[in-house]
Amino acid sequence: MAGIKDLDILLSNIEPILDERDFVFCSFPSLDWEQISELAPIGIFHEKEGITLIIDQEDAVNRNIDYQSVYKLITLNVHSSLDAVGLTAAFSTKLAEKNISANVVAAYYHDHIFVPRGKAEQALSAILELQK
């Protein structure tokens, strides 16, 4: 099934879901696939400065891995197309109006928004405003 491209349809079906886990972004100069697998990241990105992993905060604490901030994950449960225009702008603008930072990961089926843990409920409410 192809993802939805129409912004009005996306917004009316946005269905944000707040994950109960706490996540952190960690950076490593290099890791091999076995080390990455042991950390079970929810997200991986290779940058010229190193490898960024998004992992469960509890795992970071247990392994003495440094991180700066703790985030909650809001997943938009609508199947958005990677070619859709305006969805990221819509929710990032809404969150910016509420002074909430957003770290966005667009995957094949859904958009995933990492927001500061202390503002997660406020962020969820703000995104729900888009559905009305």
Side-chain angles (χ1 to χ4, degrees):
M1 180 169 116
I4 300 166
K5 291 183 182 180
D6 183 282
L7 182 59
D8 290 332
I9 295 172
L10 285 168
L11 292 176
S12 65
N13 293 283
I14 204 164
E15 288 187 55
I17 298 172
L18 180 59
D19 194 299
E20 63 186 34
R21 297 171 290 175
D22 293 328
F23 292 99
V24 296
F25 286 67
C26 306
S27 180
F28 303 88
S30 66
L31 290 174
D32 62 39
W33 286 110
E34 185 176 317
Q35 292 169 309
I36 292 171
S37 178
E38 288 174 9
L39 291 170
I42 192 171
I44 304 170
F45 203 90
H46 292 253
E47 300 178 283
K48 65 182 177 184
E49 297 87 355
I51 299 170
T52 297
L53 299 183
I54 306 168
I55 62 174
D56 190 291
Q57 181 194 21
E58 186 175 321
D59 291 339
V61 169
N62 290 340
R63 295 173 182 262
N64 294 316
I65 297 171
D66 291 334
Y67 59 88
Q68 293 182 0
S69 302
V70 181
Y71 299 91
K72 287 289 196 182
L73 170 60
I74 298 174
T75 296
L76 305 183
N77 204 33
V78 62
H79 182 184
S80 57
S81 169
L82 289 169
D83 296 321
V85 175
L87 180 59
T88 303
F91 66 73
S92 63
T93 298
K94 182 59 78 172
L95 293 173
E97 289 172 1
K98 312 281 185 183
N99 198 35
I100 301 171
S101 67
N103 296 286
V104 182
V105 176
Y108 189 84
Y109 292 100
H110 307 286
D111 290 271
H112 307 275
I113 311 160
F114 292 88
V115 298
R117 178 175 53 193
K119 294 188 174 187
E121 291 294 337
Q122 184 184 3
L124 184 63
S125 294
I127 293 168
L128 280 167
E129 290 176 15
L130 295 169
Q131 195 168 353
K132 295 178 181 171

